[in-house]
Amino acid sequence: MPTSNTNNRWTRRGAATGAVICLASLTLSIAMGAAPSAPLTTIDADAHYPEGPLWRDGKLFYVEYAPSTIKYWDGRHTAVYWHADGCGPSALIPFNGHLLVACYDANSLVELDAGGKTVRTIRADSSGKPFAGPNDFAADAHGGIYFSASGIYDIKAPISGAVLHIAADGNSITEVANTIHYSNGLTLTKDRQHLLVAEMLAGRVLMFPIGADGKLGPRTVWARLQDLAPPTPNEDAYNGPDGLKLGPDGHYYIAQNGSGRVLIVDEDRKLVRTIDVPTPYVTNIAFGPSGSSTVYISGAFDQWKPPFPGAVYRWAPLTAP
């Protein structure tokens, strides 16, 4: 893995211990500030910086950034689905029957067919401009995809994060926003007319109106994390929103990296509840087949240094026998 790359997360974020945590029965989940009380079952005792959980075809898929793999859990066992040296994967999304992988370290997108074989590798937009740290995905409302290209994970570096759009045919890739201080998680709003973008190193979420052909209009600040919930101990300048999802319940789920929690926010940008998790560096969220009653959360215990050991957990319902 090329550690000399200025966009390489080994030199910026680390490749740390991770965990994917399934929190079932959100209506019974922990209240704000409460300690976790649901029983934990280990799914994978050897996960390394998991991100991008995705429920697909009856399985939980997730990437392991550190070893450049995609793994899945079928309810009983875990297995490696795909591996590519130097990829440094950070996210997954279904696309036209295939699977797109954001290769953060390799500054590329990889398209896999239904059997997990590489169909193509994309390294630049339609104008020939290379990607800088592809990080996360969100489907648009017309078969296309938005993805973030984060730039450099350094509060002192030039602000170079961007958002790009892939047309539904997969052929046109256009930069639709830039000058974002580390663009990360993405989701469409409930009305499907706006795109929310986690501006991680600014500690806030931006909102863009969606225009024709996936283009984005002028940005506004949708929410600042400091206005949503009280700070946690030891917050630093890198504390901010990572993964970002609109839940089936109509609430917005924000992974607060550095605070060990997920913020659940309503349409009026009011905090509904927080989910506290054991991993301080929460990276992303996904939902199971039963909707918002099953939430998968990925996170890291230490994102700055080795040895990078990790685990994958299932947080069972409090009502489970």
Side-chain angles (χ1 to χ4, degrees):
M1 200 172 292
T3 57
S4 61
N5 184 351
T6 57
N7 283 324
N8 191 302
R9 199 180 310 186
W10 289 98
T11 60
R12 298 200 326 272
R13 292 189 66 178
T17 304
V20 176
I21 302 169
C22 169
L23 297 96
S25 296
L26 262 185
T27 56
L28 298 172
S29 65
I30 46 180
M32 182 176 175
S37 55
L40 279 175
T41 303
T42 301
I43 291 171
D44 183 351
D46 191 31
H48 296 264
Y49 209 113
E51 295 197 65
L54 170 68
W55 188 267
R56 187 178 190 230
D57 299 331
K59 301 181 182 72
L60 175 67
F61 288 81
Y62 53 96
V63 304
E64 287 186 300
Y65 168 78
S68 287
T69 60
I70 299 172
K71 275 186 170 181
Y72 68 84
W73 173 66
D74 64 5
R76 298 181 62 190
H77 307 289
T78 62
V80 173
Y81 178 75
W82 179 82
H83 168 80
D85 289 340
C87 167
S90 57
L92 305 168
I93 195 169
F95 185 59
N96 291 337
H98 289 176
L99 193 65
L100 279 183
V101 186
C103 286
Y104 182 92
D105 281 354
N107 295 314
S108 62
L109 305 180
V110 174
E111 185 175 350
L112 307 178
D113 66 15
K117 295 185 181 298
T118 300
V119 175
R120 61 172 174 161
T121 299
I122 310 167
R123 302 184 185 278
D125 65 19
S126 296
S127 72
K129 182 179 178 181
F131 308 140
N135 199 330
D136 206 357
F137 294 112
D140 68 13
H142 305 286
I145 287 173
Y146 289 102
F147 70 94
S148 53
S150 299
I152 301 173
Y153 191 68
D154 186 339
I155 58 173
K156 298 179 181 179
I159 298 174
S160 55
V163 175
L164 294 98
H165 181 256
I166 306 176
D169 62 8
N171 295 322
S172 175
I173 304 176
T174 308
E175 184 178 280
V176 290
N178 54 36
T179 322
I180 301 170
H181 207 178
Y182 204 79
S183 50
N184 204 325
L186 313 163
T187 192
L188 261 64
T189 54
K190 193 174 179 179
D191 64 8
R192 316 291 285 174
Q193 301 298 312
H194 299 81
L195 180 72
L196 299 184
V197 179
E199 189 176 24
M200 188 173 185
L201 293 184
R204 62 188 185 179
V205 177
L206 303 176
M207 182 170 69
F208 296 83
I210 298 173
D213 300 323
K215 294 179 180 177
L216 300 180
R219 73 194 70 188
T220 55
V221 175
W222 187 78
R224 293 179 174 85
L225 263 58
Q226 65 184 22
D227 298 329
L228 295 177
T232 54
N234 304 315
E235 282 192 13
D236 61 19
Y238 290 89
N239 186 294
D242 199 319
L244 174 64
K245 294 290 189 299
L246 171 64
D249 57 2
H251 293 148
Y252 298 92
Y253 291 67
I254 304 170
Q256 188 172 3
N257 192 291
S259 285
R261 64 188 181 186
V262 175
L263 306 178
I264 304 176
V265 180
D266 66 17
E267 192 73 17
D268 296 324
R269 285 158 262 188
K270 302 296 183 182
L271 186 66
V272 175
R273 62 172 64 90
T274 55
I275 302 172
D276 296 319
V277 298
T279 53
Y281 303 99
V282 187
T283 57
N284 218 325
I285 321 104
F287 303 94
S290 58
S292 57
S293 64
T294 305
V295 182
Y296 295 93
I297 302 172
S298 58
F301 292 108
D302 185 343
Q303 67 173 8
W304 300 105
K305 60 182 184 294
F308 318 132
V312 177
Y313 303 106
R314 181 176 184 268
W315 200 337
L318 297 180
T319 55

